[in-house]
Amino acid sequence: MNLKFMNNKGSTLLIVLIVFSILTMLGTTLYTIAVNNYKVENVNEELKKNLYLAEAGVEEAYSLIVKTIYEAINEGNKEASKVIKNIDLSDMKNDYITEDNSINFNKLMENQEIVFKSVYKSYLNENLIKNLENEANYNLIEKDHHMITTDYDNSENIIKVTSVYTKENIKKKVTVSYKLLEPMYNQIYYYESNVVKVPKDTLISKVLCTEKNLINNSKQLEINGDSHIRKNFLVGSYDHSPVKEVIINGNVIVQRDMKMNSKKNKNITLNGTIHSENFIINENSNIEIHELYTKDDLEIYGNKSIVNIFRYFGYTDGREATKSSESSSINIQSEDLGKENGTSLNIIDEMRILGTAFIEKTGDTKYKDWQYQTGESITINENYLIYTDIYSELQDLYYKDYPPFVFVEGDLNKGKFKPHDKAYHFSNNYDKFKGLTLGGRNINIPEDNITTLGVTMDDGNIKEPVGDIDLSKEKLSKEVEKLNGELKQGIINRLDINSNKNNNFSVSEDGEIFCITDKDIYISGYDNYLDRENFINGKNNLKGLIVTSGKVIFSGDVNFTGIIIAGDDIVMTDNSIIKLKYDKDYLLSLLGKNLTIIKDLFKEEPEEYIPTLIYENLGIKNNNVNIDKFIELESWESN
């Protein structure tokens, strides 16, 4: 038997190679698929990440929109709240007062809504885009890859925000549009109020009233408000008083004289209407007056005074005067008048002087008292010589003895001189007399708006009488009557102090005082007065009502807002600094809260009342306003 053997080594190797190739190809394919899947997954992750970051930009922009709306609401609220504060409740014709003197809340809220919306809209227009486009307002991690753009249609109140995030060449964009709704003012604010009727009396319209004198020796006095002084106002009660400055922003009615007694350098600024019987200025006075009325004279004594008056009215008609108090004039007795840097008088806008000056001799044991009326509405010392008989060669004149002088009395042919005749005697004969003065360039008066009974001086020249005395007298009489008002007949006699006194000298924590007493009152900024009876601590800002039938004495530095009414002198002591202020809104509120006492304080029932709004509560209903309800989503797109 023959056996044959086959050799299989080569075929096995081949099979192995074929299997290995198949496995290699399968592995490569699987690897490629795995790599591709990884890449796809990575791209998807980047797409999602970039989309999220693009959306994050929109979310941050939304937060800025919310913040800007909140700020706009606050600005609108702030301005709308001022509508209440600006209501003039004394004006019964205003839209906020109803026939029964209550507040018209509907009208109030309507106007507040108008103000609120206007301010709210304006704030958004000015700040919304600015806030959205300011990179510093965003907290994104990778700002370099972000781009945020906005578009605001303020007519439709639509804001469009586009946020684009680009990284690894993958760009995602989200665009969102929001509709901004306007909030209503009355959804945010509330207020409660009460209206009371405060007696309308001229006493409570002034910061300061005294039955007697206002005596000021303070270093500095500032009064903001009107004052009424039944006797004298003394700026310095003695020659060396330390007064340096007086500033008054308001009207001052002085029924007797206002005197600048201090001879030290001082600045006096009177920015209102001043009325006095005589206004007397001593040396070293720098004075500026808005408007001055004198029943009798404006008198300037001593040297180195500068007097500027915008409007001056000496209103007493001197045509039939028999004594000096019945005729207004300006009397200047300053030796340096007409000299360089000497005393000067400037009347700027208007001047009416309805009388002429008198020469008088009183209190001389050798001669009887006498008074002689001149023809000068502005008179200067020594100019009286023109009326004497020094030059008796003046024809057709006759004279009369006024010991030790002899003064011209009239014309032999025309009769006794009236003041205007003496005025023309002055102007016609001035150049014949030596030693007289016209004040040089140190006296200046208006070219127009002028009425004078006698001659005046202007820039070294004589001005003859001018204007209609009767017409000026009629107009000025009405103004003076209005100025003097009801207090001309008295101050304390209008009040029942004894029945309503509280003798309260203590000051509340917020610096308020409500004192009615018959005792003298000491108001001081000094500590050394603390143990004094009837002491009111004025060391800090003080406010309130002070009524006394006695004196009020200030010392130290005192800053007071309110009303002071005194039956005796009001005194500012040496070297003090006193500031007084009238605040109508505060005082009406104070008086309204103490209405029962105030009504009983006045002896007579007032003819009128002032409706006064007392704020009991004013605020915000909800401090946590949900701003989201003012933002509506219009559209959302991403790609």
Side-chain angles (χ1 to χ4, degrees):
M1 166 188 277
N2 291 329
L3 294 173
K4 294 182 181 181
F5 293 94
M6 305 262 322
N7 187 357
N8 291 326
K9 288 182 180 180
S11 62
T12 300
L13 178 61
L14 180 61
I15 290 169
V16 170
L17 289 172
I18 292 170
V19 171
F20 182 75
S21 298
I22 292 169
L23 290 174
T24 300
M25 291 174 63
L26 182 60
T28 302
T29 301
L30 291 173
Y31 175 77
T32 301
I33 291 170
V35 169
N36 287 337
N37 284 340
Y38 173 78
K39 288 182 177 180
V40 169
E41 287 180 11
N42 192 44
V43 168
N44 284 337
E45 285 297 320
E46 289 297 326
L47 284 170
K48 288 180 182 179
K49 180 182 176 183
N50 288 9
L51 177 61
Y52 292 151
L53 288 171
E55 289 175 345
V58 169
E59 291 300 323
E60 285 217 64
Y62 181 87
S63 297
L64 290 174
I65 294 171
V66 170
K67 179 176 179 291
T68 307
I69 290 175
Y70 184 79
E71 292 170 350
I73 289 173
N74 283 341
E75 288 299 313
N77 286 341
K78 190 188 302 180
E79 292 303 313
S81 67
K82 292 179 182 178
V83 174
I84 299 174
K85 297 176 183 177
N86 293 334
I87 296 175
D88 182 4
L89 291 169
S90 63
D91 179 9
M92 300 303 295
K93 295 180 180 179
N94 77 55
D95 294 338
Y96 300 113
I97 307 297
T98 62
E99 292 182 357
D100 63 352
N101 294 332
S102 62
I103 298 295
N104 185 339
F105 291 99
N106 291 334
K107 187 68 176 178
L108 177 61
M109 294 301 294
E110 179 184 323
N111 284 354
Q112 285 182 305
E113 184 68 25
I114 292 170
V115 172
F116 172 81
K117 284 187 175 181
S118 174
V119 174
Y120 170 84
K121 187 70 175 175
S122 176
Y123 188 90
L124 279 187
N125 290 342
E126 291 178 11
N127 295 281
L128 185 56
I129 295 298
K130 184 167 60 177
N131 288 346
L132 288 170
E133 293 183 349
N134 184 356
E135 279 192 12
N137 291 333
Y138 292 88
N139 297 312
L140 299 173
I141 297 173
E142 299 176 276
K143 291 183 180 180
D144 293 341
H145 300 286
H146 262 100
M147 182 174 71
I148 296 176
T149 58
T150 56
D151 181 32
Y152 181 38
D153 182 351
N154 57 20
S155 63
E156 296 294 328
N157 287 338
I158 293 177
I159 179 74
K160 183 166 75 171
V161 179
T162 300
S163 174
V164 178
Y165 185 87
T166 305
K167 191 173 182 181
E168 303 294 341
N169 295 319
I170 298 173
K171 175 179 178 182
K172 294 303 292 182
K173 179 170 77 171
V174 176
T175 301
V176 184
S177 292
Y178 299 107
K179 174 77 172 179
L180 306 184
L181 306 179
E182 288 189 351
M184 300 292 290
Y185 174 70
N186 59 11
Q187 291 178 334
I188 298 169
Y189 260 71
Y190 74 88
Y191 100 141
E192 299 169 356
S193 63
N194 184 26
V195 176
V196 297
K197 295 179 179 179
V198 174
K200 185 177 182 180
D201 191 281
T202 188
L203 271 177
I204 62 173
S205 67
K206 305 184 187 305
V207 65
L208 182 151
C209 293
T210 172
E211 195 74 50
K212 293 190 177 179
N213 305 294
L214 175 59
I215 303 171
N216 175 51
N217 289 310
S218 68
K219 181 167 56 179
Q220 180 182 342
L221 172 64
E222 181 177 332
I223 301 177
N224 293 292
D226 296 343
S227 305
H228 195 110
I229 300 151
R230 295 253 306 144
K231 289 191 176 179
N232 301 302
F233 183 175
L234 307 181
V235 179
S237 60
Y238 57 98
D239 286 354
H240 299 291
S241 172
V243 176
K244 288 187 176 180
E245 183 176 49
V246 175
I247 299 173
I248 300 180
N249 299 307
N251 300 334
V252 182
I253 308 305
V254 184
Q255 289 186 224
R256 292 193 185 173
D257 295 343
M258 187 164 179
K259 302 178 181 179
M260 315 293 122
N261 287 326
S262 172
K263 291 185 177 181
K264 290 191 173 183
N265 289 326
K266 54 197 171 294
N267 294 312
I268 315 293
T269 304
L270 308 175
N271 291 320
T273 297
I274 312 300
H275 173 278
S276 63
E277 191 164 298
N278 292 286
F279 194 96
I280 302 168
I281 301 169
N282 214 325
E283 63 188 52
N284 293 310
S285 299
N286 187 350
I287 299 181
E288 182 171 299
I289 307 172
H290 171 69
E291 189 171 72
L292 174 62
Y293 287 78
T294 62
K295 181 181 178 182
D296 195 355
D297 296 341
L298 166 61
E299 301 177 12
I300 303 174
Y301 296 97
N303 299 330
K304 297 181 180 178
S305 287
I306 299 171
V307 183
N308 295 309
I309 305 172
F310 285 88
R311 303 175 72 209
Y312 172 68
F313 307 103
Y315 62 83
T316 301
D317 180 2
R319 287 176 292 185
E320 302 298 331
T322 59
K323 53 185 178 181
S324 61
S325 60
E326 296 174 351
S327 181
S328 294
S329 66
I330 295 176
N331 188 343
I332 305 174
Q333 303 293 319
S334 302
E335 294 179 358
D336 65 343
L337 182 70
K339 297 177 182 179
E340 187 176 355
N341 299 321
T343 293
S344 65
L345 170 66
N346 298 291
I347 299 175
I348 298 162
D349 291 336
E350 184 176 3
M351 184 180 80
R352 315 286 177 188
I353 307 177
L354 307 190
T356 59
F358 273 72
I359 305 167
E360 54 186 321
K361 192 77 170 176
T362 57
D364 193 321
T365 55
K366 189 175 181 180
Y367 304 106
K368 291 183 179 180
D369 292 350
W370 52 261
Q371 294 189 355
Y372 175 83
Q373 188 173 15
T374 71
E376 299 155 80
S377 287
I378 297 179
T379 187
I380 302 172
N381 57 329
E382 305 301 328
N383 281 0
Y384 70 89
L385 293 173
I386 200 168
Y387 305 103
T388 65
D389 64 344
I390 293 175
Y391 293 94
S392 56
E393 67 269 15
L394 292 174
Q395 299 298 311
D396 299 328
L397 299 180
Y398 67 92
Y399 295 82
K400 181 180 177 180
D401 286 338
Y402 291 85
F405 302 103
V406 177
F407 292 134
V408 64
E409 195 72 7
D411 187 290
L412 293 171
N413 300 314
K414 298 178 182 178
K416 187 175 180 178
F417 279 167
K418 295 285 188 182
H420 72 275
D421 297 316
K422 292 178 182 177
Y424 288 107
H425 170 80
F426 187 102
S427 61
N428 292 335
N429 297 296
Y430 174 80
D431 57 352
K432 299 182 177 68
F433 289 79
K434 295 181 180 180
L436 307 189
T437 179
L438 300 178
R441 295 190 173 182
N442 290 23
I443 298 179
N444 295 278
I445 62 176
E447 291 185 13
D448 304 311
N449 291 326
I450 181 171
T451 302
T452 63
L453 177 62
V455 294
T456 55
M457 294 82 194
D458 180 38
D459 198 25
N461 299 306
I462 297 172
K463 276 195 170 184
E464 294 184 338
V466 64
D468 187 330
I469 296 293
D470 288 323
L471 180 62
S472 293
K473 181 180 179 180
E474 181 182 357
K475 289 182 178 179
L476 292 175
S477 295
K478 293 177 182 177
E479 290 299 320
V480 170
E481 187 65 27
K482 192 188 303 181
L483 284 172
N484 283 325
E486 301 170 17
L487 298 185
K488 186 177 181 181
Q489 305 305 321
I491 294 172
I492 294 299
N493 59 4
R494 301 163 65 87
L495 305 175
D496 183 2
I497 291 177
N498 287 331
S499 301
N500 294 280
K501 61 186 178 182
N502 60 10
N503 292 324
N504 174 35
F505 304 101
S506 61
V507 179
S508 68
E509 289 184 1
D510 63 348
E512 189 166 270
I513 179 77
F514 194 90
C515 178
I516 302 173
T517 185
D518 57 357
K519 303 177 184 297
D520 291 344
I521 295 175
Y522 298 86
I523 305 174
S524 180
Y526 294 139
D527 289 331
N528 58 348
Y529 281 85
L530 291 174
D531 58 348
R532 186 188 288 270
E533 188 181 1
N534 313 335
F535 167 79
I536 294 175
N537 187 350
K539 196 169 185 180
N540 300 313
N541 289 343
L542 190 65
K543 61 183 178 180
L545 173 74
I546 297 172
V547 179
T548 177
S549 53
K551 295 180 180 180
V552 176
I553 301 168
F554 287 90
S555 61
D557 295 356
V558 178
N559 193 335
F560 176 79
T561 297
I563 298 172
I564 297 173
I565 300 172
D568 207 326
D569 293 341
I570 296 177
V571 181
M572 285 78 172
T573 58
D574 288 13
N575 293 312
S576 55
I577 297 176
I578 310 298
K579 295 183 179 181
L580 307 177
K581 178 184 176 183
Y582 181 84
D583 183 329
K584 180 181 177 182
D585 292 338
Y586 162 70
L587 285 163
L588 285 176
S589 177
L590 174 67
L591 299 176
K593 291 173 184 175
N594 296 275
L595 194 57
T596 302
I597 299 174
I598 293 301
K599 282 184 175 179
D600 292 342
L601 184 61
F602 290 99
K603 289 181 179 179
E604 296 184 6
E605 185 76 16
E607 295 180 2
E608 294 183 64
Y609 291 86
I610 305 171
T612 301
L613 180 65
I614 300 174
Y615 303 109
E616 295 179 342
N617 208 352
L618 176 63
I620 301 174
K621 281 185 178 178
N622 181 8
N623 285 315
N624 299 315
V625 180
N626 182 11
I627 303 298
D628 290 333
K629 70 181 182 179
F630 303 130
I631 306 174
E632 284 186 354
L633 179 63
E634 287 275 296
S635 64
W636 180 291
E637 298 176 8
S638 64
N639 51 57

